[in-house]
Amino acid sequence: MKNLILVLGLAIIPWGEQKTLLPLPTQSPPYIQQPQPKRVIHQKDITTLVDALIMVESNGNPNAYCKKEKAVGCLQIRPIMLREVNRILRKQKSTKRFSLEDRWDCGLSKEMFYIWRRWHHEDSSDEVISRCWNGGPRGWKKKSTQHYWAKVKKIWEE
């Protein structure tokens, strides 16, 4: 008896018989990535400073990208911030390092933020932390970061 083997379906169908195949499943298999929702944080879920920063930076979108600044992810982390976090980790004698691709992961972005914050702003106020996140090491002195802090504060207090 001759058989026809379907490679993809791994089904063996006798050659001479006419049989109908079962319909394909309508849902995608779990190994195929589904598109992520645009917002990972909703306004009512903001309980920490980093959540408010995420809303200001990317409106909760983990796929946010700013071509001009090469800033990506939910916290809009630029390559220079990634280098700073890796420098901090080296100083702490840690073997952990982050890659440019890690900025797309919201959990890893938050981890980078907390490493930076613990190193540079252990005792700083939320305003100083926010303004430095936006404006660099002396961001808390810059007039241009006052508006940024106002947006963070407004989102956090709503």
Side-chain angles (χ1 to χ4, degrees):
M1 181 196 288
K2 295 180 182 177
N3 291 328
L4 174 64
I5 300 174
L6 296 174
V7 177
L8 294 176
L10 299 175
I12 299 175
I13 303 172
W15 183 258
E17 301 174 28
Q18 293 290 334
K19 291 190 176 182
T20 57
L21 297 174
L22 295 175
L24 293 172
T26 55
Q27 288 185 331
S28 298
Y31 54 83
I32 297 177
Q33 283 189 336
Q34 299 295 321
Q36 297 295 319
K38 287 291 183 190
R39 292 172 53 130
V40 293
I41 296 176
H42 301 286
Q43 200 74 24
K44 63 182 166 80
D45 297 330
I46 295 175
T47 57
T48 63
L49 175 63
V50 72
D51 293 338
L53 292 173
I54 287 170
M55 290 305 292
V56 171
E57 292 286 351
S58 67
N59 200 27
N61 181 2
N63 300 316
Y65 175 66
C66 176
K67 187 176 181 178
K68 178 183 170 193
E69 296 181 354
K70 297 180 184 166
V72 302
C74 63
L75 276 167
Q76 291 293 281
I77 297 175
R78 297 169 53 204
I80 193 166
M81 177 57 78
L82 179 77
R83 284 193 302 272
E84 173 62 8
V85 170
N86 284 333
R87 183 190 73 81
I88 293 167
L89 289 170
R90 278 192 305 278
K91 288 229 178 228
Q92 293 174 339
K93 307 276 192 251
S94 172
T95 58
K96 183 172 183 84
R97 298 294 181 272
F98 292 99
S99 68
L100 289 170
E101 291 77 30
D102 291 338
R103 301 175 299 161
W104 294 101
D105 183 296
C106 206
L108 293 175
S109 292
K110 285 181 178 183
E111 190 177 341
M112 288 182 234
F113 171 80
Y114 285 121
I115 290 167
W116 169 84
R117 184 182 148 218
R118 272 190 233 96
W119 185 264
H120 290 291
H121 298 284
E122 186 72 42
D123 299 319
S124 298
S125 69
D126 293 335
E127 178 179 3
V128 169
I129 293 167
S130 298
R131 292 178 68 184
C132 287
W133 182 256
N134 179 248
R138 292 178 206 78
W140 62 276
K141 294 180 181 180
K142 296 179 182 177
K143 186 173 182 176
S144 61
T145 62
Q146 289 174 344
H147 179 66
Y148 181 85
W149 167 242
K151 290 196 294 187
V152 171
K153 189 175 175 186
K154 181 180 178 193
I155 286 174
W156 199 5
E157 292 176 347
E158 284 182 349

